[in-house]
């Protein structure tokens, strides 16, 4: 069995919607493109046909990958999250020790990470550096730009 891939309820729903879109909208559209290209005659010199077949192959690979992820998906229940330490689904309120700026991140699975929404992967350098830490700790995290120091101000579920 492959490793479980953890999702919030919303993240799992988003994955299911993407698979549905690809299988009900994109797949028929590519099939139509292939049929139209096939009608144009000689397939050995038909660039449209080759492009449509390539697009179909890429789409089928993407669908298979997403269905594999769905098959290993597990929903995390936020009610069971311990806020005494940083875990997946924790929202961590931090103070950057160098700049003094406060920020917050929600730690999520790699599939749900979205920095614009303040969601970082538990696999990211900052995510890994925060896991298991407690409120009040100062954490030094190696990132590509150097070492960042954060004080953990609070751990919540939001």
């Amino acid at each position: 069995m492959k490793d479980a891939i953890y999702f919030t309820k919303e993240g799992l729903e988003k994955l299911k919607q993407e698979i549905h879109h690809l299988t009900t909208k994109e797949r028929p559209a590519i099939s139509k493109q292939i049929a139209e290209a096939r009608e144009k005659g000689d397939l050995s010199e038909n660039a449209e046909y080759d492009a449509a077949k390539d697009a179909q192959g890429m789409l089928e690979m993407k669908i298979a990958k997403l269905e594999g992820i769905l098959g290993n998906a597990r929903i995390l229940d936020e009610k069971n999250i311990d806020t005494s330490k940083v875990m997946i689904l924790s929202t961590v309120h931090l103070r950057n020790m160098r700049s003094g700026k406060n920020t917050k991140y929600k730690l999520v699975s790699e599939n749900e990470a979205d920095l614009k929404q303040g969601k970082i992967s538990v696999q990211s350098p900052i995510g890994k550096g925060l896991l298991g830490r407690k409120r009040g700790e100062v954490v030094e995290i190696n990132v590509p730009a150097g070492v960042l120091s954060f004080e953990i101000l609070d751990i919540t579920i939001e």
Side-chain angles (χ1 to χ4, degrees):
M1 183 180 134
K2 284 188 170 184
D3 292 336
I5 301 169
Y6 295 100
F7 284 90
T8 59
K9 195 182 278 188
E10 298 80 29
L12 186 62
E13 191 56 40
K14 191 173 171 185
L15 176 66
K16 288 178 181 179
Q17 288 173 359
E18 184 176 3
I19 292 170
H20 179 75
H21 173 76
L22 293 174
T23 56
T24 62
K25 300 279 191 287
E26 300 291 327
R27 187 183 272 161
I30 289 179
S31 294
K32 184 178 177 191
Q33 289 174 3
I34 291 171
E36 288 172 358
R38 193 178 284 138
E39 290 173 2
K40 294 182 179 173
D42 185 9
L43 297 181
S44 65
E45 295 181 19
N46 189 330
E48 286 179 45
Y49 178 79
D50 290 341
K53 287 299 280 183
D54 287 347
Q56 181 184 42
M58 297 297 284
L59 177 68
E60 293 304 325
M61 281 182 10
K62 184 173 183 177
I63 291 170
K65 180 182 176 192
L66 293 176
E67 286 177 338
I69 290 170
L70 183 61
N72 292 307
R74 303 288 180 269
I75 292 180
L76 289 166
D77 187 353
E78 292 182 345
K79 291 185 276 278
N80 298 330
I81 303 298
D82 176 5
T83 58
S84 69
K85 62 184 177 198
V86 179
M87 313 173 61
I88 190 166
L89 290 191
S90 296
T91 297
V92 187
H93 302 258
L94 304 168
R95 176 179 298 122
N96 184 317
M97 299 302 285
R98 185 178 310 147
S99 70
K101 284 181 63 177
N102 289 355
T103 188
K104 68 178 180 177
Y105 294 117
K106 182 170 186 162
L107 274 68
V108 296
S109 69
E110 200 165 339
N111 299 305
E112 292 186 70
D114 183 350
L115 194 55
K116 289 179 186 148
Q117 293 184 349
K119 296 178 178 181
I120 61 170
S121 167
V122 291
Q123 298 299 317
S124 70
I126 293 175
K128 285 180 181 178
L130 292 173
L131 282 176
R133 300 305 187 112
K134 297 181 188 296
R135 187 176 296 107
E137 282 189 62
V138 174
V139 183
E140 291 196 350
I141 301 172
N142 288 314
V143 296
V147 177
L148 295 176
S149 291
F150 294 106
E151 178 185 359
I152 299 174
L153 302 174
D154 201 7
I155 304 166
T156 61
I157 300 299
E158 293 178 17

